[in-house]
Structures are given as structure tokens and as C-alpha cells.
Amino acid sequence: MFRAKMESSVSTLGHDPQDDPREFFILKKDTCDRLTPCCCVFAASIAALPMAPGCVLGGLLMERLGRRAAHQVVCVPHILGWVLISVARNVPAIYVGRFLTGLCLGMNGPLSPVFIAETSGPEFRGVLLAMVSLAVAIGILVGNFLGTVLSWQLAAAISAVFPLVCYVGVFWVPESPVWLAARGRHAEATAAFRWYRGCSADVVKELTDLLGKHAAERPRQTWADLWGEVCKMSFLKPFFVMIVFFLVMQCSGVNAVSFYTVSILDGVGSGMDSYVATNVIGLVRVVVSAVGCILTRRFGRRPLAVISCLGAGASLLGLGAAGPGWVPLLLLMVYIFFMGIGLVPLPWVMVGEVFPAAARGLGSGCSSCFCFVVFFAVVKTLPALAATVGIHGAFYAYGAVALGGAVFLYAFLPETRNRTLQDIEDGYSRANNNNNNRLA
């Protein structure tokens, strides 16, 4: 949105600020839209630089401060970043604002799934976590709309409202009961658990299991304690699975296709106006994300992931073989559908579920960090890949990854639907103990 809006302003005004280098440092009221394409590209891309380290930082923050407090801490620089962009009178201020918003986006990556997973019941956890992907799809659609009809300054000012609403809203809810129990604050954990979940028989049993696991009062977790948790197989096994899951998601081309939709449609000769098709695809992505939320509630994680991989892989292979006409656009829609019901939402659903409570923040943070690194690598390498083997060859490569991912996920992805977080954690611990017994 930011780059497209600014670059359209450049082409409209027909002015190159390099004619006067001082305009790099001073954006006067009547020239604040006149930036070079180079500045626009850097302003758009600088937000991606801190996303990966932001995930790790967000994971560490939630372990130290708690899930709720970490959300509030992240909201402050997020608001500041958008305000800086909105009131910027020089290009460096825009760069700083973009860097801050990218950093906060990265920190929110693991924060939201973990907080939702630890405060929701097994029967609703999947759909609530899948709604994160739906919110992202809606946010992209709204952002594109704002960037189209408003100036980028006003669009940035409106964007600052959303983290402000989050800061105020989170202020009124309790801390995660899992985090409180893990730190020996059992009275607060009990009150928070009942606030979020009520007092039904199943809830009482789950609360009893949670407090039983953390029966002993614990001092503040040290770095040595955290490292000890990370070295356990109950952490390493889900970490490996999530790393591969994120790798399959990104290397199936989901974000590469999103970033280069116009170029892809032109390259395969869809015959439809590429920009109209892009907006149609954006709307389809929102609808599919909503369908994914429903399917996540009704079906297990493993079958959805496998079906998603198989469908996405088949549609990608079809795109590789398709000739000019309407077929590529249809196959692209099919691809978006299968990605949207599984490979897009499920990694973000499960990253808040599979890690042990003692290292859930770090595990989700490092997994999310890896996702953003691969995201950058795949998007960055698509033009070179297409230049080397052609766009059809790129589709074949992404399709092969999706089909290979189906085999891996069928064999190793745990089923977490309708299971409590404690049960999921105990499942990995039991499997590790069984392996140790066989070795003994």
C-alpha cells in the first residue's frame, strides 16, 4: 500500500526530488508526496528488515513480562511508528516509522497466537487462532483501500488507531492463566482462568491439571531455566515440526504469489486486467480465510494440512502446464483456496499450541522468526528463479514442495484439535519417555 501510493504520486507529479537534495531531509507541505522511486522502494522494504528479530524479541518479552504486558509494550512503538510516518517532514523520519512498525509486526507474530491459545478452550481455540489469518487478510484489503482513496499521511494516521485500541482493550483483560501458573501465582491464575473460561466441570478439571503441573512455587525464571527447557525433546520435537511446517508454507509460494500477482498473471497470459484480478484475488483471500476458520473448527489439523498441501501442489503443477487464457486465473483461485484452508492459517494456529508452557514464548518466537526469514528469501528469489527456469518452472518447483510437505505433515504433524494445551504438552513428554525406556 505504502509503496504503491507513493510511487503513484511520483508518476503523477512528474518531479524528481534529486533535483534538490535538500528535499530528502525536508518534505514541505506541497512536496511531501514527491519522493524518488528509490526512496519509495526502500521505505516499503525497510519494514521487513526487523520482522524476523522482532519475533524473537516478542517471544522473550512475553516470557519475561507476561502475554498481556508484552502486548501493551509492543503497542507503544507501533503507535509511535505510524504517527512518525503521518507527520513526517523528512524521509529519514519515514524510514524510522517504517522500521518501528515492521519491528512491532514481528513482535506481534508469536504474541497473538500464544495469548489466544492460552486463554481459549479446546473447542474454540482453533477457530479463534485461525481468525488471526482472517484479520490479516481483512487488514490487507482495508489497507489497500485506504491507500487508494486517501493520502498516505492520513492512511498512516488511521493505522495508528488500531494499536491504540489494542493497548486500551488489553488493559481490561487478565493476564494469561498459564503464564501466571508457571510462575507460582496460583490465586491470580485461578481468577484469570475462571474469567476467561467460566466454571464448568471440564474447565475445573483443566484448571486443576494446570495448577497441579505447577504445584511448587517457582522463582522468577532464569536464563538457565529457559535453556534447560529448550534442550528437552518436548521442546525440540515440536520446534522441528513447526520449522518444517513454516518452510512448506512459504516454499509453496504463498507470499511470492501474493507479491507478484500482477507479474504472474501477465506472464501466464490470463487475458484479464491484472490489477482488477489482483483486487478480485484479495477479496477471494478474505472469503477463503473465513472458510478456513469454519473448517478449522470442524476438522482436525492434520487432515486439513495434508488436503491443503495436495490441493495447492496440484494447482501449482496445473499452473506450470497451463497455456494462455482463463485457465491460469482459475487455477490461481484454486491455489488460493487450498492454501487458505490449511497451509496459511494452520502454522499460526499450531505455533501457539505445541510448545511447552515454560518455553512457549521463545519457541513460538523462534519459529515465527524462521518463517519471516524464509518469507523474505522466497519473495526475493522468485524473480531470479523465474528468469532461470521460467515462471512455469517456478510453479513446478513450488508444487513439488507442497506435495512433499503433504507426506511430511501426514507422518509428523500432531493432532491438536479439541485437546487441552496441557494434554498436548504431556503427549510430547510421554513420547519422549517411551523412547528413553526403549533405549534403556
Side-chain angles (χ1 to χ4, degrees), residues 338-360:
F338 279 106
M339 291 295 291
I341 66 171
L343 276 177
V344 171
L346 286 181
W348 297 107
V349 168
M350 299 188 69
V351 78
E353 296 180 321
V354 297
F355 291 105
R360 187 167 290 139

Side-chain angles (χ1 to χ4, degrees), residues 103-117:
L103 178 66
C104 294
L105 179 62
M107 287 193 286
N108 270 321
L111 261 174
S112 299
V114 169
F115 199 11
I116 293 171

Side-chain angles (χ1 to χ4, degrees), residues 284-324:
V284 169
R285 189 175 288 114
V286 172
V287 175
V288 171
S289 297
V291 173
C293 293
I294 298 171
L295 294 179
T296 304
R297 175 81 189 279
R298 296 178 63 87
F299 299 99
R301 316 287 195 253
R302 187 187 295 120
L304 273 180
V306 172
I307 291 172
S308 176
C309 285
L310 293 175
S315 57
L316 284 166
L317 296 181
L319 278 167

Side-chain angles (χ1 to χ4, degrees), residues 323-338:
W326 58 268
V327 174
L329 182 60
L330 177 61
L331 287 172
L332 193 59
M333 296 291 188
V334 173
Y335 167 77
I336 291 172
F337 172 79
F338 279 106

Side-chain angles (χ1 to χ4, degrees), residues 243-255:
I243 286 295
V244 177
F245 205 174
F246 276 121
L247 182 69
V248 171
M249 178 186 77
Q250 293 293 347
C251 292
S252 295
V254 57
N255 284 304

Side-chain angles (χ1 to χ4, degrees), residues 40-81:
C40 297
V41 171
F42 190 70
S45 61
I46 194 173
L49 296 178
M51 285 182 185
C55 290
V56 179
L57 180 58
L60 294 174
L61 273 177
M62 76 169 95
E63 292 294 353
R64 286 292 175 178
L65 304 179
R67 297 11 175 172
R68 186 188 69 167
H71 262 97
Q72 291 184 299
V73 168
V74 171
C75 285
V76 174
H78 208 168
I79 296 169
L80 178 61

Side-chain angles (χ1 to χ4, degrees), residues 8 11 47 143-144 158 163 175 181 186 192 212 247 266 278 284 296-297 309 327 361 374 386 413:
S8 67
S11 61
N144 287 336
I158 294 174
E175 179 56 81
H186 293 170
L247 182 69
D266 288 340
T278 300
V284 169
T296 304
R297 175 81 189 279
C309 285
V327 174
V374 180
L413 189 70

